[in-house]
Amino acid sequence: MKIDTNDILNSILQSLDHVDYIRPEEIPNIDLYMDQVTTFMDDHFSATKRYGSDKILTKTMINNYTKNNLLPPSVKKKYSKEHVLLLILIYYFKNILSIKDIETVLKPLREKYFTPDSELKLSDLYKEVCEMEKSRIEPMKASIREAYEKSQAAFSDMEEGDDREELKLFAFICSLSFDVYLKKMMIEKIVDELAAKEDAEKNTEK
């Protein structure tokens, strides 16, 4: 069966056009019980599920995040707007980073911006970052088109046919994967620097 890689490319680019984020004003201003938090996350991230059986957030996940210092404990079994914002960030990060790395990345947010009376509200910080990421959609689409065009020129010594189409698609997947690999490696290097700085500060205090 012939693989229409152009259709795949168009589908990817169209999906990027619909990328959006949960705005702070969409999060209830009242504290929520755990069941309400999981329902909220499931409702707002249902479109990101790869399979219907995928779980966006469960009670066990929330408890593990708290146990591993990613998320401050609930207050009287209720979770604030700030809790939900951190859970949203954790949801994005967990696809590429380990629990320990996420803890390191989110530590300043937990310690400095989690309380409603902090100078910079966590909701404002979150919104600033999300708006910045939205501005990167078009450059990303251009980068994907470039990777696609290069993959279409691959295996030029082969005759056109299903085998070459499969290999060109493989080349496209490899190109996208390599980009993710490099960015993940860069993020981990930054996280390692943050962790080393924190360890050095702890040792100085002793």
Side-chain angles (χ1 to χ4, degrees), residues 108-123:
L109 275 65
R110 296 193 313 272
E111 294 184 347
K112 298 179 181 179
Y113 311 113
F114 184 78
T115 57
D117 57 349
S118 57
E119 187 174 345
L120 175 63
K121 293 183 182 297
L122 185 56
S123 58

Side-chain angles (χ1 to χ4, degrees), residues 82-141:
E82 288 72 27
H83 278 104
V84 177
L85 288 168
L86 283 182
L87 285 168
I88 293 170
L89 293 172
I90 292 168
Y91 176 75
Y92 288 125
F93 280 132
K94 73 175 185 175
N95 292 299
I96 53 172
L97 296 177
S98 68
I99 291 294
K100 184 63 178 175
D101 286 347
I102 298 174
E103 179 194 353
T104 301
V105 171
L106 294 183
K107 185 177 180 181
L109 275 65
R110 296 193 313 272
E111 294 184 347
K112 298 179 181 179
Y113 311 113
F114 184 78
T115 57
D117 57 349
S118 57
E119 187 174 345
L120 175 63
K121 293 183 182 297
L122 185 56
S123 58
D124 293 333
L125 187 154
Y126 165 85
K127 189 172 183 178
E128 179 85 11
V129 171
C130 289
E131 285 297 326
M132 179 183 72
E133 293 306 315
K134 284 279 288 182
S135 70
R136 298 189 63 246
I137 295 296
E138 288 305 318
M140 184 180 296
K141 287 166 69 174

